[in-house]
Amino acid sequence: MEIDLSKLDIKKAHEHLVNGDFTAVELAEVCLKNVKEKNEDINAYLEIYDDVLEQAKKADERIKNKDNVTELTGIPIALKDNILNEGRAVSAGSKILENYKGTYDATVVKKLKDAGVVFIGRTNMDEFAMGSSTENSAYGVTKNPIDLTRVSGGSSGGSSAIVSMNGALVSLGSDTGGSVRQPASFCGVVGLKPTYGAVSRYGLIAMGSSLDQIGPFGKSVSDAEILFDVIKGYDKLDSTSLPDVLQSKDEVKDLLAGRQGKLTIGIPTHLFADGVDKDVLENFNQSVEKIKSLGYEVKDIELPNTKYSLAVYYVLMPAEASSNLSRFDGVKYGLRKEGENLLGDYLETREVGFGEEVKRRIMLGTHVLSSGYYDAYYNKANIVRELIKSDFDKAFDPKAIGVDAILTPTTPTPAFKIGEKKDPLSMYLLDIFTAPANITGIPAISIPSGTVEREGKDLPVGLQIMANHGREDIIFSIGRSMSI
Ligand code: GLN
């Protein structure tokens, strides 16, 4: 059987694998062929593993022997370069970890291995996940497969491009302020940021620990859901991991049964007052019309403090990152450069090992945490964080505003040109719709919502759906009905 990856999702691939229409080896070979043709140009993979076919052979044996076969057995997947996979290189897109190898499996990797996936390789990213375009990677930009003159988004730009160019069926990324959803929207794929604490962060190279979540990319909402179901769950190795209060699938079905189309959707129109591209806004308004036509109730809502999200994010994230990155000192991990004395070693290693954006954020973060400025910036940001949380609590509270979900565009613009954004602030502004979900910890997904034309090319645009803590079920349900 001819394998066309662009027409496959996990469910279909799984059916074909168990029916014997094709093998996991054949499926992996198609990925490798696509990668060979396209990766040199696109630069989505930093490394293709050399044992892909062996992994696939093992999956085939498992399928042949009906030995603990899961929906993911034999499914080709790519991993962002900041998720540890034992014995394999992992660099977080940085020179400072150029020759570093994972010393253990991240919990998500362990779960995927148990499920029998085939890891194709590790994907490019902005250095330490700081950025929105992968231009901050120490290993070159990842081009957008739909228009090679544009960025694929970031920081998980490699993972979104891989799914878009069929270099794997699905992938994992990480999202601290939008790094799964924004590249998903730029590349025309689905990307989910789960509820904070739903997926273990054990083995994820930390950036902003109170904001980071690992999330799946796929071509369909159902792929994101299947992957989420496998990687989620309480993990005692992550102290911020949530207990398993997320309902089982059947309970969720009961909960939503009969309510499909009766859910209420909030639209914070006031947030789109300025800065959103005219075509993106028009595309969003079409999505709102569509959701109304599906029978959902739509109402305009106010999130009065949410306009401060970027200010809060760009204080908290650098603060947490500057402290997380202090471990890269040339002694414990990766690159080591000799200076005149111990302090010299630190300075030299970090000078050579870190790129410009990482240094900028370390300086910003160290500044906002320094005595004298701590109250003015870091504490203030935490107070405003609580206010933003209360905006969303009220929105979801049935006794207050009482919506089931909130819609926004995922990003204010479609993918921009490589090299276009020279000023870091203009890049930071792109996170305006995605950062609130990280600040509050709620789940959010980006699904493709159509295209806008730029220079004769149809560039994908994403629709973001947010719901209350632990309510990924609502997101998937709306996402599925919108994708039809
Ligand atoms: N673009 C945001 C930043 O640069 C988000 C990054 C992320 O989610 N990892 O911080």
Side-chain angles (χ1 to χ4, degrees):
M1 175 182 169
E2 175 93 27
I3 303 176
D4 180 355
L5 268 174
S6 65
K7 300 210 169 75
L8 279 184
D9 63 6
I10 295 176
K11 273 206 163 77
K12 282 189 210 140
H14 172 69
E15 268 171 39
H16 288 305
L17 285 168
V18 293
N19 287 343
D21 301 329
F22 53 71
T23 62
V25 167
E26 285 165 337
L27 188 57
E29 276 169 344
V30 175
C31 293
L32 293 175
K33 183 169 155 274
N34 288 344
V35 170
K36 204 164 166 203
E37 275 166 20
K38 300 179 193 161
N39 197 55
E40 208 180 319
D41 239 3
I42 293 176
N43 193 31
Y45 274 122
L46 291 179
E47 179 189 0
I48 320 286
Y49 298 139
D50 53 14
D51 64 342
V52 170
L53 295 180
E54 275 118 78
Q55 293 180 58
K57 262 183 217 146
K58 279 196 191 130
D60 278 332
E61 266 161 43
R62 211 161 140 170
I63 294 168
K64 197 173 106 213
N65 300 331
K66 296 200 170 55
D67 168 21
N68 192 16
V69 177
T70 76
E71 246 177 336
L72 289 185
T73 309
I75 298 296
I77 186 168
L79 278 185
K80 186 174 178 177
D81 188 30
N82 59 354
I83 301 175
L84 265 54
N85 196 343
E86 193 180 347
R88 300 191 196 264
V90 57
S91 76
S94 181
K95 285 271 176 252
I96 212 159
L97 285 176
E98 192 164 15
N99 298 314
Y100 182 70
K101 286 201 164 65
T103 49
Y104 59 90
D105 279 339
T107 296
V108 292
V109 168
K110 187 175 174 313
K111 288 182 179 218
L112 291 172
K113 281 186 180 169
D114 290 347
V117 301
V118 176
F119 294 103
I120 306 286
R122 67 187 162 99
T123 63
N124 198 12
M125 59 181 279
D126 285 297
E127 185 176 6
F128 285 104
M130 299 178 192
S132 304
S133 64
T134 71
E135 291 169 291
N136 296 334
S137 166
Y139 305 100
V141 65
T142 296
K143 296 179 186 162
N144 192 313
I146 292 144
D147 176 349
L148 296 181
T149 66
R150 294 179 188 268
V151 301
S152 61
S155 63
S156 317
S159 291
S160 63
I162 280 299
V163 175
S164 163
M165 70 184 236
N166 297 312
L169 201 56
V170 286
S171 64
L172 287 188
S174 65
D175 189 313
T176 306
S179 279
V180 168
R181 291 158 286 156
Q182 185 257 24
S185 94
F186 279 10
C187 291
V189 301
V190 173
L192 170 76
K193 184 208 82 84
T195 304
Y196 183 77
V199 176
S200 169
R201 292 184 296 112
Y202 182 71
L204 169 70
I205 297 178
M207 159 141 111
S209 306
S210 77
L211 306 153
D212 298 340
Q213 269 292 281
I214 294 174
F217 287 94
K219 282 196 286 284
S220 66
V221 172
S222 126
D223 278 4
E225 183 172 6
I226 293 172
L227 265 181
F228 171 65
D229 279 342
V230 172
I231 62 174
K232 74 179 185 191
Y234 173 72
D235 180 13
K236 65 175 186 320
L237 298 169
D238 172 1
S239 61
T240 59
S241 173
L242 285 176
D244 284 322
V245 287
L246 303 171
Q247 300 97 331
S248 77
K249 275 223 153 130
D250 289 342
E251 280 168 321
V252 164
K253 260 194 215 134
D254 290 350
L255 209 71
L256 286 176
R259 288 197 70 205
Q260 171 84 12
K262 293 204 186 92
L263 298 172
T264 308
I265 314 284
I267 317 280
T269 314
H270 67 103
L271 287 182
F272 323 140
D274 34 47
V276 183
D277 177 278
K278 185 170 96 345
D279 297 335
V280 170
L281 198 55
E282 194 182 312
N283 173 280
F284 178 71
N285 289 334
Q286 283 164 6
S287 297
V288 174
E289 287 313 311
K290 183 168 175 191
I291 204 142
K292 281 185 192 158
S293 73
L294 289 169
Y296 291 93
E297 194 189 317
V298 171
K299 72 176 174 197
D300 200 38
I301 59 164
E302 295 269 333
L303 300 167
N305 299 293
T306 301
K307 58 177 180 284
Y308 302 119
S309 295
L310 284 184
V312 168
Y313 176 80
Y314 279 100
V315 170
L316 294 183
M317 188 280 309
E320 294 181 15
S322 75
S323 120
N324 274 323
L325 266 54
S326 63
R327 74 192 68 177
F328 302 107
D329 57 7
V331 178
K332 303 184 198 77
Y333 303 95
L335 184 80
R336 176 180 174 80
K337 290 273 172 215
E338 301 276 334
E340 275 178 13
N341 49 28
L342 182 62
L343 180 64
D345 291 354
Y346 292 160
L347 293 175
E348 197 54 31
T349 303
R350 288 165 72 86
E351 167 60 26
V352 176
F354 287 141
E356 237 176 58
E357 182 62 23
V358 173
K359 286 179 189 158
R360 183 179 296 121
R361 297 206 194 187
I362 291 175
M363 285 192 280
L364 254 173
T366 310
H367 180 70
V368 301
L369 289 175
S370 59
S371 75
Y373 290 102
Y374 191 94
D375 280 336
Y377 294 114
Y378 184 70
N379 267 351
K380 185 83 147 279
N382 270 318
I383 292 166
V384 182
R385 182 179 200 171
E386 291 308 314
L387 292 175
I388 298 170
K389 279 186 188 162
S390 74
D391 278 0
F392 282 83
D393 286 346
K394 277 185 207 141
F396 294 124
D397 181 357
K399 292 194 210 80
I401 301 174
V403 295
D404 296 290
I406 297 172
L407 297 193
T408 69
T410 307
T411 60
T413 68
F416 47 91
K417 293 259 179 178
I418 293 168
E420 183 184 321
K421 303 244 180 256
K422 303 212 164 37
D423 160 23
L425 271 183
S426 68
M427 194 82 91
Y428 298 171
L429 289 174
L430 296 174
D431 305 328
I432 180 72
F433 299 129
T434 47
N438 303 80
I439 290 172
T440 57
I442 61 173
I445 201 169
S446 177
I447 60 169
S449 61
T451 55
V452 299
E453 204 213 290
R454 290 288 182 279
E455 298 172 349
K457 290 242 163 72
D458 291 328
L459 303 180
V461 179
L463 172 71
Q464 177 175 239
I465 310 168
M466 297 179 268
N468 208 353
H469 298 266
R471 295 317 303 262
E472 277 82 355
D473 56 331
I474 291 181
I475 284 180
F476 294 138
S477 164
I478 299 172
R480 256 194 306 272
S481 67
M482 288 295 283
S483 308
I484 298 164

